[in-house]
């Protein structure tokens, strides 16, 4: 809820900006801090609500990324044409304020595995002790490398399409193809992962590697002959990248309960997002620098694709990421669910006004 307020204030503050410094503070610091406060609790809470269909639930929650790539570009252009950039930022501030009532709808649940006592130090509250676990350390290191290349298409896919000779509508179609692939893959991968046929760390490694290969394919697409063409090869490469990146996104968060336990999943989500964002700080500037030095985005996508492949290689150090030589045992039966929440006897609803939680027998 606090994140929703900060994000809205960041947009409103930026609407009255008179310099780039104001935009850095408004969109970068205020809105960025607000989104950080929104993302980890929201996604961590979804992971705690679901057990048998956790990956599908997280995939559904993350489809907003692909949908925004598909829908917000024309919507923002319409706002700019009618209200100017200042008016558009004010309207976006009003829209993002809706994150606050969304946060009010998240019900805190007490689950088995939750810490019995609150953290005694700030470091413990931040969950930094999770880095002592080898599997979590491997995951965060690989994710930081993946983050270097993962966000490049969000920033430079459309300019890359223009550099390849496509017109404005052709470039928009390329972005739309990646967004549609991203949306569909998050749902399909969620269903596939929840079947239990393949361990989540192995799926994470596979789709991470496919994401890197997709970036390499986007960078190697040849130049289009004229602006009226649809850029079939680039369209196909962007769609393939969207499919693989969309499959990767829910897996990197849904593997956390297996590695750190359900009681630490919110802290672990925040730390993974921190490392992913640190990689994202390097990727777009590096991509832009290589574009300025070479004259196109080929080296940018090849370099960032290599970072993603390197991170996927590190994922091989996770438990169950590689096939075992021993005969595979049948996976255990997931706990029964009422609706989609965890079993009623194991769930307690935390009351904000009372220090003790009470069992919730209606969920």
């Amino acid at each position: 809820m606090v994140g929703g307020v900060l994000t809205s204030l960041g947009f409103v503050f930026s609407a009255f900006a008179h310099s780039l410094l104001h935009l850095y503070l408004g969109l970068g610091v205020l809105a960025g801090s607000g989104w950080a406060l929104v993302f980890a609790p929201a996604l961590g809470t979804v992971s705690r609500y679901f057990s048998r269909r956790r990956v599908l639930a997280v995939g559904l929650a993350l489809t907003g990324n692909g949908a925004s790539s598909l829908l917000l570009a024309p919507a923002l252009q319409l706002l700019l044409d009618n209200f100017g950039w200042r008016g558009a930022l004010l309207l976006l501030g009003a829209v993002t304020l809706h994150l606050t009532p969304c946060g009010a709808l998240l019900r805190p649940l007490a689950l088995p595995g939750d810490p019995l006592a609150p953290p005694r130090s700030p470091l413990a509250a931040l969950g930094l002790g999770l880095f002592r676990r080898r599997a979590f350390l491997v995951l965060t290191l690989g994710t930081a490398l993946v983050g270097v290349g993962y966000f490049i298409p969000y920033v430079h896919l459309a300019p890359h399409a223009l550099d390849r000779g496509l017109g404005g509508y052709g470039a928009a179609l390329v972005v739309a193809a990646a967004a549609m692939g991203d949306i569909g893959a998050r749902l399909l991968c969620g269903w596939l992962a929840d079947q239990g046929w393949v361990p989540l760390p192995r799926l994470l490694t596979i789709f991470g590697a496919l994401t890197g290969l997709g970036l390499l394919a986007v960078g190697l697409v040849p130049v289009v002959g004229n602006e009226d063409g649809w850029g079939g090869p680039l369209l196909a490469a962007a769609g393939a990248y969207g499919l693989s990146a969309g499959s990767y996104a829910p897996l990197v968060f849904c593997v956390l309960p297996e590695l750190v336990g359900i009681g630490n999943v919110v802290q672990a989500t925040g730390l993974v997002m921190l490392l992913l964002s640190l990689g994202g700080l390097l990727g777009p500037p590096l991509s832009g620098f290589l574009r300025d030095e070479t004259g196109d985005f080929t080296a940018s996508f090849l370099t960032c694709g290599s970072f993603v492949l390197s991170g996927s290689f590190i994922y091989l150090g996770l438990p169950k990421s590689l096939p075992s030589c021993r005969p595979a045992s049948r996976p255990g039966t997931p706990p029964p669910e009422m609706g989609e929440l965890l079993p009623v006897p194991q769930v307690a609803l935390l009351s904000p006004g009372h220090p003790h939680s009470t069992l919730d027998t209606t969920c």
Side-chain angles (χ1 to χ4, degrees), residues 53-60 181-198 200 203-204 206-208 242-252 254:
R53 286 180 281 270
R54 178 177 290 130
V55 186
L56 179 58
V58 172
L60 281 168
D182 185 280
I183 294 173
R186 294 182 189 222
L187 302 180
L188 181 61
C189 179
W191 173 84
L192 174 65
D194 286 333
Q195 303 309 305
W197 297 328
V198 183
L200 292 185
L203 282 176
L204 177 68
I206 292 171
F207 285 114
L243 288 171
S244 54
S247 300
Y248 169 85
L251 291 170
V252 72
C254 289

Side-chain angles (χ1 to χ4, degrees), residues 175-236:
V175 175
M180 290 298 295
D182 185 280
I183 294 173
R186 294 182 189 222
L187 302 180
L188 181 61
C189 179
W191 173 84
L192 174 65
D194 286 333
Q195 303 309 305
W197 297 328
V198 183
L200 292 185
R202 194 175 307 167
L203 282 176
L204 177 68
T205 304
I206 292 171
F207 285 114
L210 290 176
T211 301
L213 293 175
L215 283 170
L216 297 181
V218 170
L220 294 173
V221 167
V223 178
V224 179
N226 56 75
E227 292 188 1
D228 296 330
W230 292 104
L234 183 56
L235 201 65

